[in-house]
Amino acid sequence: MAARRGGWVRICSLLAVAVLAGLGAEAKNSEDVRCKCICPPYKDHSGHIYNKNVSQKDCDCLHVVEPMPVPGPDVEAYCLRCECKYEERSSVTIKVTIIIYLSILGLLLLYMVYLTLVEPILKRRLFGHSQLIQSDEDIGDHQPFANAHDVLARSRSRANVLNKVEYAQQRWKLQVQEQRKSVFDRHVVLS
Amino acid sequence: MVNAGDMNGSGNLMDFLDEPFPDVGTYEDFHTIDWLREKSRDTDRHRKITSKSKESIWEFIKSLLDAWSGWVVMLLIGLLAGTLAGVIDLAVDWMTDLKEGVCLSAFWYSHEQCCWTSNETTFDDRDKCPQWQKWSELLVSQSEGASAYILNYFLYIIWALCFAFLAVSLVRVFAPYACGSGIPEIKTILSGFIIRGYLGKWTLLIKTVTLVLVVSSGLSLGKEGPLVHVACCCGNFFSSLFSKYSKNEGKRREVLSAAAAAGVSVAFGAPIGGVLFSLEEVSYYFPLKTLWRSFFAALVAAFTLRSINPFGNSRLVLFYVEYHTPWYMAELFPFILLGVFGGLWGTLFIRCNIAWCRRRKTTRLGKYPVLEVIVITAITAIIAYPNPYTRRSTSELISELFNDCGALESSQLCDYINDPNMTRPVDDIPDRPAGPGVYTAMWQLALALVFKIVITIFTFGMKIPSGLFIPSMAVGAMAGRMVGIGVEQLAYHHHDWIIFRNWCRPGADCVTPGLYAMVGAAACLGGVTRMTVSLVVIMFELTGGLEYIVPLMAAAVTSKWVADAFGKEGIYEAHIHLNGYPFLDVKDEFTHRTLATDVMRPRRGEAPLSVLTQDSMTVEDVETLIKETDYNGFPVVVSKDSERLIGFAQRRELILAIKNARQRQDGVVSNSIVYFTEDPPELPPNSPHPLKLRRILNLSPFTVTDHTPMETVVDIFRKLGLRQCLVTRSGRLLGIITKKDVLRHMAQMANQDPESIMFN
């Protein structure tokens, strides 16, 4: 399960790479380009910001600032103080990225809830009260994956695909448990 | 998750689910690799491919593919690292603003993106628009007033706690190795240490996801160090697809060095700085071939990030600076002062942080990681919200501090008193007197500075991904900006003093406080990490010009000198010492006059060396020896009397070979003789089948004589990456020196605790 999950994650990340790389070079939505001119206060006119959808060569004060607030002879002095910048963004990239990120986060949360809350309840109900015998390294171990040792021992016998997946998942759980002991309990690595 | 077999094996599709069979030649967890053996293996492989390539066209093509596989790996690493950095930047942008409000038209837009198309922004309220509403407006439809403020405050804290709790739970449940910065462990891995799972796929996934969460939660940490870890995980992942790298730990580390360069490159938008950072800080052996490939990977990563364009305007980093106002020689004095501040702050931070981390490691504080994260997040959120400079994300703060104030700025920091008749163009505004907004901003910045200095000590090292670059730069930028504004006002109000008279005329733009902020940031970052060249190159790539190299260098050099006066270690070396990793630093100098006899084992009074003989031990004897001792290897001598050295055998390989032989070979029982020679020894008839173990014997172990000075021995260990070295006298084996003994001896000579070296 974990290896398949790892495979799924890999496929998703490669998809995301492809999508994003493609989107990065894509033609933009017409709303995604703008020329932004910021004009500071001048004489008795207050400051103002002008946005307009123009191409890069038309991005200057004369094309963007409409209606011009100052009369003819002052236009040059006014425009000299304005700063015009051409900006573009890709709204599709942002949307796709945020939605992919939220879905990965949601999946991880669901899996975490399943592992920490649902699975122990299911296992307890399936295997009844014979699960109460615990090896001495698991005494007091209230962490997830506490029953990985037992399941590993049990599933070594059969060899079909489903059990292989289960076996790989249990092996992953053991690895994570070892890591957790090194980092959180014994403070040996990454103190 | 380093598999011994390669992924494009010819087995069943489901074979990757099976447990990998540990064959001879792989290493155990938390052990050091044998650099010489990896190098010779790679030479063998290369020679075999070259000789086979002359046989047919297909073999020739295969040899070409093998040569090009390095470049393909670099390309893939650059693509994936750039993509992940882009995803992280976009997601952080959105989630940081989620704490304050939400965009009603499209929930996936951050504040700036939401108001991008709006035509209702005014000059003074340039970030307000009706599509983006704060939480108080959304929930109780009030945007000003005490109740709105309290509701916003409360929701800010709730969101921050929610993000931090999610992050630490994900780290704890799925990938405990994803916490911390990652750079100390990567330094150790690149020097030859093995930490299985540290660069695995789950660690990569969890580190990326939780990095976004913790940066958005407002904690005082950065994402640059963790991005190096993420890039190295990408490097590990792609190198496991090619057998050239997956089977050879030495070659794999070359790929990881290049991946680290790509990581820094996307973090700062500085490809050259990334390569120099990898060369200076992270890598242990850095052959010239790796230099070119790292540069390629860093460029590809930077280019990929640029095409994703997370910040708009094709910038790679939020705080890119675009002005080029000149600086003056007399300003070197405040720059050097900033360098001194950076060095002092670096020393203070390293000492306090190591003390706090040691307390976390040894006392009950370490038993409550989740609670610790929640408490620190709550304290950070509660204190950060009222001050506008700490409420926003640290990158935005640095961006504002680096910025030069033109006539267009409407922030408090730029609230200068403008001359209404001024007609200068935008980027040549002369020095102006400070308005009330600037004074408010100054004391707010001072409070923010103190807060950041204190809270970062407690934040770095918690069980969440945490980086150090951005908080250090923020501390330096705040200090620098305050000094810069001070100098600017001094120059304006006292332009007839001697120091200012020559270069600062009234009506000219003399002092740029933004430059002081940059110099301060560089000084603080240098004081903490003790980077030299890479720091200056990263900073000047951030500013896009060579004008400011001299101030940056002055500050970096000063801060390094001041910090080195108090302690030789940067923050990463200090954390390596704290964890007891077996890292033999190339920067340490060994200047004592001890000899090899003083360090070798066994010392006088200890049990004699455990050796194997050439052909007079049985399988049972060997197994007993292995069981009773926990040494990593045993020298092989001719016989117990003559003690002439033949070679060295590793413990792990002995165990595997004996286990293999018992299972597979006929006739090998506990009484079988184990022999390391080419031909089996003379045996009486009816004796069991002997076991030949010559293939696991290293026939060329490194030896020194007992009078070799330790300086030379340390040099040999460093340059060749040895794990152990045998000591002989007149050809007879006397003892052994391991890397742990060398580290302990160096610690003893430096009056540190030699028992803190934990790993072998």
Side-chain angles (χ1 to χ4, degrees), chain B residues 22 101 147 164 168 238 273 314 355 540 553-554 560 592 613 687 691 705 756:
Chain B
S147 60
V168 71
F238 286 121
S314 295
F540 103 71
M553 270 193 74
K560 185 160 162 62
H592 307 280
T613 56
S687 49
L691 174 56
T705 61
S756 68

Side-chain angles (χ1 to χ4, degrees), chain B residues 382-403:
Chain B
I382 289 177
I383 301 185
Y385 188 83
N387 188 337
Y389 291 107
T390 44
R391 185 192 302 177
R392 67 188 73 160
S393 81
T394 323
S395 302
E396 280 179 29
L397 171 66
I398 296 179
S399 171
E400 181 172 342
L401 291 172
F402 279 5
N403 204 4

Side-chain angles (χ1 to χ4, degrees), chain A residues 46-112:
Chain A
S46 59
H48 210 280
I49 296 182
Y50 299 91
N51 282 329
K52 198 164 173 199
N53 244 338
V54 292
S55 64
Q56 196 164 8
K57 62 179 174 55
D58 287 338
C59 184
D60 53 33
C61 175
L62 299 169
H63 287 98
V64 171
V65 176
E66 286 177 5
M68 188 63 69
V70 290
D74 283 344
V75 164
E76 195 180 335
Y78 185 70
C79 272
L80 208 56
R81 310 170 76 218
C82 287
E83 184 183 309
C84 290
K85 247 191 315 195
Y86 176 74
E87 293 176 346
E88 58 184 335
R89 69 168 184 183
S90 170
S91 52
V92 185
T93 308
I94 298 176
K95 177 169 162 185
V96 166
T97 308
I98 301 287
I99 291 185
I100 289 182
Y101 176 78
L102 284 179
S103 35
I104 293 182
L105 185 62
L107 284 174
L108 281 175
L109 279 180
L110 283 176
Y111 194 36
M112 179 169 75

Side-chain angles (χ1 to χ4, degrees), chain B residues 7 58 279 324 344 409:
Chain B
M7 295 293 285
W58 174 235
L279 174 62
H324 298 287
L344 290 175
E409 306 302 322

Side-chain angles (χ1 to χ4, degrees), chain B residues 32-36 190-192 284-285 582-586 588 590 595-596 599-601 648 701-705 708-727 735-746 760:
Chain B
T32 316
I33 69 173
D34 188 348
W35 282 97
L36 292 168
L190 285 180
S191 82
Y284 202 72
Y285 299 115
F583 182 71
L584 196 54
D585 202 347
V586 289
D588 288 339
F590 189 84
L595 299 176
V599 180
M600 74 173 186
R601 296 293 177 117
F648 195 82
F702 257 83
T703 56
V704 292
T705 61
T708 315
M710 269 312 285
E711 210 176 356
T712 312
V713 175
V714 170
D715 230 3
I716 296 178
F717 268 86
R718 242 187 237 149
K719 294 207 164 101
L720 295 172
L722 296 183
R723 292 182 292 184
Q724 72 279 326
C725 182
L726 298 165
V727 183
I736 187 172
I737 301 181
T738 63
K739 194 172 180 181
K740 196 171 181 177
D741 297 326
V742 171
L743 287 167
R744 279 200 172 136
H745 179 68
M746 288 174 76
N760 220 338

Side-chain angles (χ1 to χ4, degrees), chain A:
Chain A
M1 170 69 179
R4 195 200 286 155
R5 169 150 204 94
W8 271 116
V9 163
R10 247 178 288 160
I11 292 174
C12 281
S13 63
L14 285 173
L15 258 179
V17 170
V19 163
L20 284 172
L23 288 177
E26 217 179 79
K28 298 105 204 160
N29 201 350
S30 70
E31 276 197 351
D32 280 348
V33 305
R34 72 174 178 182
C35 185
K36 181 174 173 178
C37 283
I38 309 182
C39 294
Y42 177 72
K43 290 191 183 167
D44 47 352
H45 298 279
S46 59
H48 210 280
I49 296 182
Y50 299 91
N51 282 329
K52 198 164 173 199
N53 244 338
V54 292
S55 64
Q56 196 164 8
K57 62 179 174 55
D58 287 338
C59 184
D60 53 33
C61 175
L62 299 169
H63 287 98
V64 171
V65 176
E66 286 177 5
M68 188 63 69
V70 290
D74 283 344
V75 164
E76 195 180 335
Y78 185 70
C79 272
L80 208 56
R81 310 170 76 218
C82 287
E83 184 183 309
C84 290
K85 247 191 315 195
Y86 176 74
E87 293 176 346
E88 58 184 335
R89 69 168 184 183
S90 170
S91 52
V92 185
T93 308
I94 298 176
K95 177 169 162 185
V96 166
T97 308
I98 301 287
I99 291 185
I100 289 182
Y101 176 78
L102 284 179
S103 35
I104 293 182
L105 185 62
L107 284 174
L108 281 175
L109 279 180
L110 283 176
Y111 194 36
M112 179 169 75
V113 166
Y114 167 73
L115 282 178
T116 47
L117 298 177
V118 174
E119 203 179 36
I121 300 179
L122 277 181
K123 291 272 159 109
R124 221 180 296 145
R125 234 181 271 167
L126 269 176
F127 293 115
H129 303 286
S130 61
Q131 215 40 347
L132 292 178
I133 307 167
Q134 290 189 351
S135 65
D136 34 17
E137 34 186 291
D138 288 342
I139 284 183
D141 190 348
H142 300 291
Q143 297 161 351
F145 318 160
N147 57 355
H149 286 282
D150 308 323
V151 185
L152 249 184
R154 217 188 320 269
S155 61
R156 239 178 251 263
S157 44
R158 292 177 290 167
N160 55 17
V161 172
L162 207 59
N163 262 58
K164 269 197 180 187
V165 169
E166 168 100 9
Y167 186 62
Q169 186 190 22
Q170 296 306 328
R171 205 159 28 91
W172 170 69
K173 283 185 183 173
L174 263 184
Q175 277 176 4
V176 176
Q177 205 175 0
E178 275 308 308
Q179 287 179 10
R180 199 181 298 130
K181 281 203 186 119
S182 312
V183 176
F184 284 92
D185 300 333
R186 298 191 324 229
H187 289 280
V188 156
V189 189
L190 288 162
S191 59

